[in-house]
Amino acid sequence: MALASPTGPGDEQIGAAEAARDAAVQRLTELSTRLAEAQAQVDAANAAATISLDAFQGEQAEYQTAQVTAQSAAAAERAADAALTVARAELAAFARASYIQGTTAPGLQAMLDMKDPAQIIERATLLAAAGGHRADVLLDLARVQRLAVAAEEAAHAAVTRANILRQQAADALTAAEGMQAAAHQRTAALESDRTVMQDQLQQALDALSELEGAPAAGQDYTRQQAAAQAAVQVADGSVVEGDLPPVGAGSTAAAATALDAALSAVGLRYAWGGGSLTGPSLGFGIDAGVTGFDCSGLTRYAYAQAGISIPRNSTAQYQASPRVSRADLRLGDLVFWAVDVTDPATIHHVALYLGNGRIVEAPQSGATVHVTSMYWSGYIGAVRPSA
């Protein structure tokens, strides 16, 4: 018996398959877009938190400097008070001696209780017109009294400024911790959504592979995504650096020492706000209790081992040393990333350049100090620290 010839799908079946294919491609694109947008929001939240932390570190550095100034002013005030006590004692002794000898003027005795330097000087000037040792004693008291008042005012001003900066630093820390908590929540939400969306993506891909023309549609989609990603990378990497002034070679030995110090920290945990001149330290906020480095803490520590002092926060580090063009990057240069590559105020990350397209960095909470490939998305520039 002859077998019946197979029949192909009808127009209606082909139309349904094409519609299903188009719907799957659209769903795939929508899910990919949602994932990209969610990741961008997380990245933006993390950058904002890091910038806020940078601001706190700058405020904290100013406060610490003001605190030292206040302590010095307080010491000067104590010394001035001690000198005033001695001067008053000398005046009292002179008055007693004059009284015993019967030469004390009523005006001299009245000077013992005077508090206003201007009044003392005025009275002493009058006495000076009459001549004698008593004018010298009174003028010396007036000078010491004037210094004591000035020291008291300077100490008060220094303490006031230190207190203001301390409050500003505390406010900046509170803001930074709030932003970091928000970034952490966004990250957790993304990880939760990512699993669901990845499953949906896979379902869409599976459905697409079963439909007529799926290979071609999948290739088209892949090409479109690759082209879009390439365009983003080109846009992010095409930073116009302008004409930078020539930069010296710096110290090769210092750069090598800084890199050795940074590489010795590989494997240590990232700690938000962590890192001192002598090594890792406790972080705070989301990383309270974690000992390690944040990005600028690592770079500052590394160069401190080479005897080169750089600021604590990444924005200040960028501003403190000569700029280096991308073509002139060398071992040990500090490389920076920003939200807006035209605005250094939006810098949120710094690392040390290892050469051959590699960097060593303290990346983010939950990670460790590591060596990785240099990336250009968000790159704003580089500097070369020197003594």
Side-chain angles (χ1 to χ4, degrees):
M1 184 175 70
L3 296 175
S5 298
T7 59
D11 291 343
E12 184 176 344
Q13 290 176 304
I14 293 176
E18 289 177 344
R21 178 201 62 197
D22 293 343
V25 171
Q26 182 177 357
R27 178 64 174 159
L28 196 63
T29 303
E30 290 174 353
L31 288 170
S32 297
T33 300
R34 284 176 57 196
L35 274 174
E37 290 175 348
Q39 185 62 59
Q41 290 175 353
V42 167
D43 292 343
N46 280 318
T50 305
I51 291 170
S52 188
L53 172 64
D54 216 49
F56 159 69
Q57 290 169 337
E59 294 281 3
Q60 183 73 0
E62 284 194 48
Y63 162 62
Q64 290 170 346
T65 300
Q67 195 175 33
V68 171
T69 301
Q71 291 169 349
S72 298
E77 181 185 15
R78 290 192 295 272
D81 286 342
L84 180 59
T85 298
V86 171
R88 286 186 179 279
E90 289 177 350
L91 179 60
F94 174 67
R96 283 194 299 273
S98 298
Y99 176 78
I100 291 172
Q101 296 170 7
T103 60
T104 302
L108 178 61
Q109 187 64 39
M111 300 275 283
L112 289 173
D113 296 324
M114 277 189 166
K115 302 295 183 183
D116 185 359
Q119 292 179 355
I120 295 177
I121 292 174
E122 181 182 359
R123 182 66 58 84
T125 301
L126 292 174
L127 291 173
H133 179 58
R134 59 187 178 184
D136 294 334
V137 174
L138 290 171
L139 287 171
D140 184 59
L141 174 62
R143 179 185 60 81
V144 175
Q145 176 86 20
R146 186 170 63 251
L147 291 175
V149 170
E152 180 182 10
E153 292 174 349
H156 177 73
V159 169
T160 299
R161 173 168 171 73
N163 287 336
I164 290 173
L165 289 172
R166 179 176 58 184
Q167 185 59 51
Q168 289 176 346
D171 292 344
L173 176 58
T174 299
E177 289 178 336
M179 288 187 178
Q180 180 64 6
H184 183 63
Q185 290 174 353
R186 281 190 177 276
T187 301
L190 173 62
E191 292 305 319
S192 176
D193 291 344
R194 192 193 302 275
T195 301
V196 175
M197 284 190 277
Q198 290 288 7
D199 289 341
Q200 293 176 348
L201 278 169
Q202 190 59 52
Q203 291 172 9
L205 285 169
D206 291 343
L208 194 60
S209 67
E210 295 174 359
L211 297 171
E212 182 181 6
Q219 291 169 6
D220 287 344
Y221 171 76
T222 301
R223 283 194 296 270
Q224 291 169 3
Q225 293 299 306
Q229 182 63 29
V232 170
Q233 291 175 346
V234 170
D236 286 338
S238 59
V239 179
V240 178
E241 295 179 314
D243 295 327
L244 298 178
V247 178
S251 170
T252 302
T257 299
L259 285 177
D260 285 344
L263 290 171
S264 71
V266 167
L268 293 179
R269 294 181 64 183
Y270 177 96
W272 197 63
S276 70
L277 293 174
T278 56
S281 65
L282 286 172
F284 41 82
I286 192 173
D287 287 333
V290 177
T291 298
F293 290 100
D294 65 11
C295 64
S296 58
L298 176 66
T299 52
R300 180 177 181 240
Y301 161 75
Y303 266 98
Q305 309 322 297
I308 295 177
S309 176
I310 60 177
R312 175 61 179 87
N313 55 317
S314 56
T315 303
Q317 288 179 5
Y318 181 78
Q319 296 169 341
S321 299
R323 292 277 307 281
V324 178
S325 69
R326 184 190 299 190
D328 194 33
L329 279 176
R330 299 182 186 177
L331 296 174
D333 287 347
L334 300 184
V335 284
F336 298 83
W337 290 264
V339 173
D340 179 353
V341 296
T342 66
D343 184 4
T346 66
I347 287 174
H348 59 83
H349 188 53
V350 59
L352 291 100
Y353 188 64
L354 288 174
N356 297 320
R358 308 285 283 174
I359 59 172
V360 57
E361 64 173 355
Q364 71 269 335
S365 295
T368 60
V369 176
H370 63 211
V371 173
T372 188
S373 297
M374 178 68 186
Y375 46 97
W376 301 105
S377 176
Y379 174 76
I380 189 173
V383 303
R384 183 167 300 152
S386 59

